[in-house]
Amino acid sequence: MSGRQSGERPDGRMTQAQRTALSDRRMFEAAIELINERGTQKTTLKEIGERAGYSRGLANYRFGSKDGLMLELFERFDERWKAHLGDYVGAARGLEAVQQAALALRDFLKNESSYMRAMYLLWYECLGHDSGMRRTLAEHHEVYRQDARRWIEQGIETGEVRGDVDPAQFAVQYCAFIFGIVYQWLVNAQALDLDAVFESYTDNILALLGNPDYEEEAAS
C-alpha cells in the first residue's frame, strides 16, 4: 500500500481543498489575534487576510462579510467546545455530569485562553444590536440550559438529587455561574484561582443538591 494519505496529490503538493482548509484556519487564527488586540469593531476583513498572510480580498471573497466570518468563527468555536465537553462528560449522568462539565470549562479556560477571550469579546459586542450572531448565541444558550436541566432530571430520577430541586431554575443558575466566572476571568484572570473556584463550586453543588437518603443508601 502507498504511504500517501487519502486525498493527497501524487506529487505531494496540497489539493485545492487542503489549501482552502489551511487558508481558512490561518484566517480564523488571525481573526482571534486581532479581536484580542483591538476588539471586533476595529477588526476588518482586510486586516484579517493580511495578518493570515494572504491578499487583502481573500477573506471577503471567502466569507462575504465580516459578519459571515464571525458567524463561522463562532460555529467552529462551538464545535471545539462541544468536543471538549464531550471528552469530559462522556456517559456521565446527574451530579457527576455537572462536575465534569465544570472541570471541562476550567481546563478550557486554561488551555484555550486566547480562543475563549476572543469569543467572549465577540459575544459581548454583539449584544447592543439585533444580529445573526446574537440570535445564534441565544439558541446556543438554550442548548446549554437544556444540558444542565437534563443532568439534574437524571439525578432526581435516580434519587441522587433531592426531589424538590427545580431543574429549570438550576440550569439558569448553572449558566449564570459559568458565564459569570468567564466574565471575571476576562476582566482579571490573575485574580482567580481557577482550581479553587471550581473545586468550591462542585463541593457546594453536591452539598446543596445531594439527597442525604441516597448517600446513606450508597454508603450502606
Side-chain angles (χ1 to χ4, degrees), residues 7-38:
E8 185 177 318
R9 287 168 48 128
D11 58 9
R13 291 158 52 189
M14 289 190 295
T15 64
Q16 179 61 40
Q18 289 171 327
R19 288 196 297 271
T20 298
L22 176 61
S23 62
D24 283 356
R25 178 173 60 79
R26 287 178 174 172
M27 283 191 286
F28 288 130
E29 290 172 352
I32 290 169
E33 291 176 3
L34 288 166
I35 290 170
N36 280 325
E37 289 174 11
R38 62 189 68 174

Side-chain angles (χ1 to χ4, degrees), residues 188-201:
N188 186 1
Q190 301 306 315
L192 300 181
D193 181 339
L194 290 178
D195 290 326
V197 166
F198 282 92
E199 181 180 0
S200 176
Y201 174 75

Side-chain angles (χ1 to χ4, degrees), residues 41-217:
Q41 299 302 317
K42 295 182 179 180
T43 296
T44 67
L45 285 177
K46 169 181 170 292
E47 291 171 320
I48 290 170
E50 291 178 339
R51 175 70 66 93
Y54 298 103
S55 67
R56 297 181 177 184
L58 180 61
N60 186 69
Y61 172 78
R62 189 70 53 77
F63 301 105
S65 67
K66 189 168 78 172
D67 284 347
L69 184 144
M70 295 303 176
L71 281 169
E72 180 66 22
L73 181 63
F74 171 58
E75 292 299 337
R76 290 193 175 212
F77 169 84
D78 192 63
E79 290 174 4
R80 197 163 174 171
W81 163 247
K82 285 179 178 176
H84 177 83
L85 180 64
D87 288 341
Y88 277 71
V89 175
R93 295 164 57 85
L95 292 180
E96 181 185 2
V98 175
Q99 289 178 287
Q100 290 302 113
L103 295 180
L105 177 62
R106 180 199 66 187
D107 293 346
F108 203 77
L109 284 172
K110 291 181 177 181
N111 301 325
E112 301 281 0
S113 57
S114 63
Y115 210 151
M116 181 70 92
R117 183 177 298 278
M119 292 312 304
Y120 269 74
L121 289 172
L122 174 61
W123 295 343
Y124 282 126
E125 289 185 11
C126 84
L127 296 180
H129 60 282
D130 186 35
S131 65
M133 175 65 71
R134 181 174 179 175
R135 291 188 292 272
T136 299
L137 184 58
E139 293 170 359
H140 284 268
H141 273 220
E142 179 58 29
V143 172
Y144 302 152
R145 289 191 292 269
Q146 288 174 358
D147 286 343
R149 184 167 63 245
R150 184 179 68 255
W151 297 330
I152 297 305
E153 289 171 346
Q154 292 167 347
I156 292 174
E157 182 179 350
T158 62
E160 178 187 21
V161 174
R162 298 194 335 264
D164 61 345
V165 174
D166 185 328
Q169 290 304 316
F170 168 81
V172 173
Q173 295 161 9
Y174 169 82
C175 288
F177 166 77
I178 294 301
F179 295 118
I181 287 298
V182 175
Y183 180 74
Q184 293 183 65
W185 173 84
L186 283 172
V187 172
N188 186 1
Q190 301 306 315
L192 300 181
D193 181 339
L194 290 178
D195 290 326
V197 166
F198 282 92
E199 181 180 0
S200 176
Y201 174 75
T202 54
D203 287 348
N204 288 338
I205 287 298
L206 292 175
L208 290 170
L209 305 186
N211 183 351
D213 295 334
Y214 178 86
E215 295 173 2
E216 290 177 3
E217 291 177 6

